[in-house]
Amino acid sequence: MRTPDPRITLVIPVLNEARNLEVVLPTLPPVHQVIVVDGHSADDSVEVARRCLPEADIVPQTRKGKGNALACGFERVTGDIVVMVDADGSAAPEEIPAFVETLVAGADFAKGTRFAAGGGSDDITLLRRAGNAVLSGLTNLLLRTRFTDLCYGYNAFWADAIPALGLPSSAGTEPRWGDGFEVETLINCRIALAGLKIAEVPSFERDRIYGTSNLDTFRDGLRVLRVIFRESVRSRRNRRRGEAAVSGLDRVVGS
């Protein structure tokens, strides 16, 4: 339910992030629900989450990949607003109120951006920045959007928008399209194609605290590119169906 005083759910995908969770979880603001989705970590991520935040919901992934982790988490949401938070310390918890305020003010989807006044990054490389700019521009051209930071995953949205995402069900163990890092672009595209109101929120990306990222610039960049073209085709197909339906209705009315 959309209310001026929404209940907030944080969804945190985790894969071998025990050391980072020890730092991140104690800094989270008080919220209605924290969902930690564990990708069968080989370290003691689950034990650390239970110790640092006993009230957190610990959800095991059914398959591999960030997309599957988010899908598993979204299915357990009980709050009014969902905030996607990375476990590596790159997402600043103090920015959560800005995302919530943007949604309460009328947006359906609060899109974090590192490339607006007040935003920035300690982590992004020149190669990733250039790739992000190309992918954002292509998406804006094909889907008629205005993203400035397509590939940034710190986002929030009203929970009633979850069906519009059309993410693969968590059921089953066979890999599904949308299970990987491409999920963030998939979410952005689906929100836009559903006609929901998107508002960008300046965000500063911090360096990962410990460990190395699972992101592969070229492999995951190609997966993002595939999402963009797939969703562009889907958009044109839906538009043609809508035009055909209107044309058919006009003929019926005019007969």
Side-chain angles (χ1 to χ4, degrees):
M1 184 176 74
R2 300 197 175 188
T3 167
D5 187 25
R7 300 170 301 166
I8 312 303
T9 292
L10 309 183
V11 177
I12 309 176
V14 170
L15 178 60
N16 299 325
E17 299 284 7
R19 296 181 70 193
N20 290 323
L21 290 176
E22 288 180 329
V23 179
V24 171
L25 294 181
T27 68
L28 296 177
V31 294
H32 166 72
Q33 181 186 31
V34 176
I35 301 175
V36 175
V37 186
D38 179 61
H40 308 289
S41 296
D43 65 5
D44 57 348
S45 290
V46 171
E47 290 74 17
V48 169
R50 287 176 174 149
R51 171 166 51 83
C52 292
L53 202 66
E55 65 272 25
D57 292 338
I58 311 295
V59 178
Q61 273 190 243
T62 54
R63 297 187 294 276
K64 294 181 179 180
K66 187 173 185 178
N68 175 248
L70 289 174
C72 291
F74 293 165
E75 290 175 1
R76 299 287 288 272
V77 167
T78 60
D80 305 305
I81 283 176
V82 182
V83 185
M84 300 159 53
V85 181
D86 285 341
D88 59 8
S90 60
E94 61 268 23
E95 293 179 355
I96 291 174
F99 284 93
V100 173
E101 289 168 9
T102 299
L103 294 171
V104 171
D108 300 304
F109 188 81
K111 175 78 186 77
T113 176
R114 296 163 290 185
F115 306 123
S121 176
D122 286 329
D123 179 65
I124 193 169
T125 64
L126 288 176
L127 178 61
R128 286 172 51 207
R129 181 187 292 267
N132 191 6
V134 170
L135 294 170
S136 296
L138 183 62
T139 302
N140 293 338
L141 176 66
L142 295 178
L143 300 186
R144 304 175 185 177
T145 52
R146 296 182 179 180
F147 292 122
T148 63
D149 197 358
L150 179 73
C151 301
Y152 189 46
Y154 198 4
N155 306 310
F157 52 91
W158 288 99
D160 59 22
I162 290 176
L165 306 181
L167 298 185
S169 167
S170 66
T173 58
E174 291 298 316
R176 303 276 300 277
W177 173 249
D179 278 353
F181 274 106
E182 72 275 3
V183 68
E184 292 165 355
T185 299
L186 185 62
I187 288 173
N188 296 334
C189 292
R190 294 279 170 87
I191 287 287
L193 292 177
L196 299 180
K197 183 178 180 181
I198 301 169
E200 293 196 324
V201 179
S203 177
F204 194 93
E205 179 186 34
R206 300 169 175 170
D207 275 327
R208 161 182 278 274
I209 303 171
Y210 297 111
T212 57
S213 173
N214 294 312
L215 177 69
D216 183 295
T217 300
F218 292 101
R219 179 197 65 203
D220 293 313
L222 289 174
R223 292 177 73 89
V224 167
L225 189 63
R226 183 180 174 191
V227 169
I228 295 169
F229 284 119
R230 282 173 63 118
E231 293 304 302
S232 174
V233 170
R234 178 172 173 266
S235 173
R236 291 197 300 271
R237 186 184 303 123
N238 290 344
R239 197 155 51 240
R240 286 196 296 268
R241 287 173 179 169
E243 291 169 353
V246 169
S247 176
L249 180 61
D250 288 343
R251 286 196 297 271
V252 170
V253 172
S255 62

